[in-house]
């Protein structure tokens, strides 16, 4: 698709977004523009609806909002007028939040997270003249752009780090809600671990919640207690509890690590320094670039836009060199190149992981 290629080429060119602090959402505002395909500068309005993790989840939603903040700043848009977010405290908030933004005539409305799939589908049908974008799920509608990522590729790389760093040969994975999406994180990670350390044991558990730090603490406590010294979480706000548990154990002299997700979570591990690395998923880049395309009159409606390693859409955090040796990072680079060149395929599903394991010696 031409529109997809345009967006991905912008990523390949190295668009880098600065990190900005998440701000609070504002009150409702009255729209002044039409719902058309695009707008010029201050006439363009873009908004997003968070999932239940919230805009300050230190992960997925926050990254999406950072992209919109950067886009707003670069295009002289006023917060809460030209760009804004609506927070969802429960799943029942998704549809009314999306409907509100559509009635307020925002040119582009994001739904953040696959849990919003059905609601985006319904609201897009109700408001056929509005443009929507859904992150992490595909909705087949002419006024919806579907933004997806090859999470399994970035997860494979942090799996390589875990497999070569673990001292106990036991590592863990904690997922939020078990789903096709989070399985991509799990299976890519497991494959990376096993590719470099076939003797490793991987403990996998799901919290069935993206917004429960308490569950994250409880599950990680069990994993660390059973011998895992590294845990990779793909659990949104639930992952905050994993960091809390790791930091408490580090204070008590235990040598344990957390692998962050979605954005560089190095700071979440401070001051105890428990963040080994992070699988960075550039949701900020996606929201920025799709917003720019739409403002320029090129809304990719009906397209599936996929961001992978070769597009710099996923990868490992730049802060990895603080705790990961140069030798291990060299090995990560070898695997990264193999994945980009197609010499190696990171598994996304359980079935693909089983096939991958047949190649592990």
């Amino acid at each position: 698709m031409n529109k997809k290629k345009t967006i991905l080429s912008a990523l390949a060119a190295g668009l880098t977004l600065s990190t900005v602090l998440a701000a609070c959402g504002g009150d409702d505002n009255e729209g002044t523009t039409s719902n058309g395909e695009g707008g010029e500068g201050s006439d363009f309005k873009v908004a997003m609806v968070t999932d239940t993790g919230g805009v300050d989840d230190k992960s997925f939603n926050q990254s999406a909002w950072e992209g919109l903040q950067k886009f707003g700043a670069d295009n002289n848009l006023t917060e809460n007028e030209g760009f804004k977010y609506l927070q969802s405290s429960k799943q029942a908030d998704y549809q009314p939040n999306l409907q509100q933004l559509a009635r307020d005539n925002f040119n582009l409305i994001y739904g953040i997270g696959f849990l919003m799939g059905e609601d985006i589908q319904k609201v897009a049908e109700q408001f056929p003249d509005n443009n929507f974008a859904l992150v992490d799920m595909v909705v087949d509608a002419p006024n919806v752009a579907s933004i997806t990522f090859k999470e399994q590729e970035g997860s494979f790389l942090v799996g390589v780090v875990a497999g070569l760093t673990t001292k106990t040969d036991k590592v863990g994975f904690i997922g939020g809600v078990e789903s096709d999406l989070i399985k991509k994180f799990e299976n890519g990670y497991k494959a990376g671990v096993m590719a470099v350390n076939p003797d490793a044991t991987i403990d996998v558990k799901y919290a069935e919640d993206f917004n429960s730090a308490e569950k994250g603490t409880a599950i990680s406590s069990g994993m660390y207690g059973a011998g895992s010294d590294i845990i990779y979480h793909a659990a949104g706000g639930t992952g905050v509890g994993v960091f809390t548990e790791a930091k408490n154990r580090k204070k008590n002299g235990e040598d344990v690590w957390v692998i962050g997700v979605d954005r560089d979570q190095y700071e979440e591990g401070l001051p105890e320094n428990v963040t080994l690395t992070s699988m960075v998923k550039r949701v900020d880049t996606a929201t920025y670039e799709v917003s720019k395309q739409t403002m320029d009159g090129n809304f990719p409606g009906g397209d599936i836009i996929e961001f992978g390693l070769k597009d710099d859409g996923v990868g490992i955090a730049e802060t990895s060199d603080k705790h990961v040796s140069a030798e291990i990072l060299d090995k990560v680079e070898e695997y990264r190149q193999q994945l980009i060149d197609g010499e190696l395929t990171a598994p996304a599903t359980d079935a693909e992981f089983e096939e991958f394991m047949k190649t592990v010696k």
Side-chain angles (χ1 to χ4, degrees):
M1 299 179 185
N2 291 334
K3 292 175 182 175
K4 178 192 294 187
K5 291 178 181 177
T6 300
I7 290 170
L8 295 185
S9 66
L11 271 173
L15 176 64
T16 302
L17 303 181
S18 61
T19 300
V20 282
L21 294 176
C24 295
D27 296 332
D28 300 347
N29 61 82
E30 295 298 324
T32 58
T33 63
S34 67
N35 297 327
E37 288 252 328
E40 294 295 333
S42 61
D43 293 333
F44 185 80
K45 302 200 305 178
V46 59
M48 60 174 258
V49 175
T50 76
D51 72 5
T52 56
V55 79
D56 56 354
D57 63 354
K58 312 295 184 185
S59 184
F60 186 74
N61 290 281
Q62 184 168 334
S63 181
W65 177 233
E66 287 171 353
L68 290 194
Q69 287 179 302
K70 173 66 173 171
F71 176 80
D74 285 355
N75 292 281
N76 298 314
L77 304 183
T78 302
E79 186 172 345
N80 295 325
E81 295 179 5
F83 68 101
K84 70 180 291 184
Y85 72 85
L86 292 181
Q87 187 129 321
S88 303
S89 60
K90 55 187 182 300
Q91 195 159 347
D93 293 337
Y94 296 160
Q95 193 167 148
N97 280 343
L98 291 165
Q99 291 168 332
Q100 177 179 322
L101 293 172
R103 287 191 295 267
D104 286 347
N105 293 323
F106 278 83
N107 299 86
L108 177 62
I109 302 163
Y110 288 93
I112 307 303
F114 74 95
L115 294 174
M116 226 170 293
E118 290 185 8
D119 297 292
I120 283 275
Q121 180 86 56
K122 292 176 182 177
V123 177
E125 292 174 358
Q126 295 168 355
F127 296 88
D129 294 328
N130 289 79
N131 296 325
F132 299 87
L134 176 62
V135 177
D136 274 349
M137 188 174 179
V138 175
V139 166
D140 186 11
N143 59 332
V144 178
S146 300
I147 300 170
T148 64
F149 295 82
K150 292 184 178 180
E151 293 91 352
Q152 67 272 23
E153 294 184 342
S155 296
F156 187 102
L157 298 184
V158 297
V160 170
V161 173
L164 294 175
T165 302
T166 177
K167 296 178 180 178
T168 64
D169 283 342
K170 293 181 180 180
V171 300
F173 173 84
I174 297 177
V177 175
E178 187 168 355
S179 58
D180 290 345
L181 170 65
I182 306 303
K183 278 288 183 179
K184 290 162 71 176
F185 292 85
E186 175 197 331
N187 286 303
Y189 174 66
K190 291 189 300 185
V193 172
M194 300 306 290
V196 296
N197 188 351
D199 295 326
T201 299
I202 307 169
D203 190 2
V204 175
K205 288 185 171 59
Y206 282 83
E208 295 306 331
D209 198 327
F210 284 113
N211 194 31
S212 175
E214 295 81 7
K215 289 182 180 179
T217 298
I219 296 172
S220 59
S221 177
M223 283 188 178
Y224 287 131
S228 291
D229 56 352
I230 301 170
I231 295 176
Y232 174 37
H233 87 89
T238 299
V240 174
V242 182
F243 281 100
T244 298
E245 181 65 20
K247 288 193 280 189
N248 287 337
R249 287 177 177 267
K250 186 80 83 168
K251 289 177 184 176
N252 292 325
E254 293 187 44
D255 189 16
V256 298
W257 297 101
V258 182
I259 295 177
V261 75
D262 292 338
R263 60 198 298 274
D264 188 343
Q265 294 193 311
Y266 173 75
E267 291 187 357
E268 305 312 311
L270 297 177
E272 292 80 11
N273 279 317
V274 298
T275 305
L276 179 62
T277 183
S278 298
M279 197 289 277
V280 178
K281 175 177 169 179
R282 299 307 302 268
V283 186
D284 55 351
T285 299
T287 57
Y288 184 104
E289 191 58 28
V290 174
S291 297
K292 184 177 185 300
Q293 291 288 316
T294 305
M295 186 179 72
D296 291 343
N298 298 312
F299 171 64
D303 286 358
I304 300 171
I305 309 154
E306 187 173 55
F307 299 88
L309 272 180
K310 68 179 180 180
D311 317 301
D312 292 328
V314 296
I316 69 170
E318 293 181 0
T319 57
S320 299
D321 59 358
K322 293 182 180 294
H323 298 302
V324 182
S325 71
E327 181 180 6
I328 292 176
L329 290 177
D330 285 344
K331 183 62 68 173
V332 168
E333 178 57 27
E334 289 179 21
Y335 279 104
R336 188 185 77 87
Q337 200 58 53
Q338 289 180 41
L339 289 166
I340 290 174
D341 292 342
E343 298 174 9
L344 179 67
T345 300
T349 66
D350 290 344
E352 290 173 358
F353 177 72
E354 290 181 10
E355 287 299 311
F356 177 86
M357 286 303 295
K358 295 177 181 179
T359 68
V360 174
K361 300 177 182 180

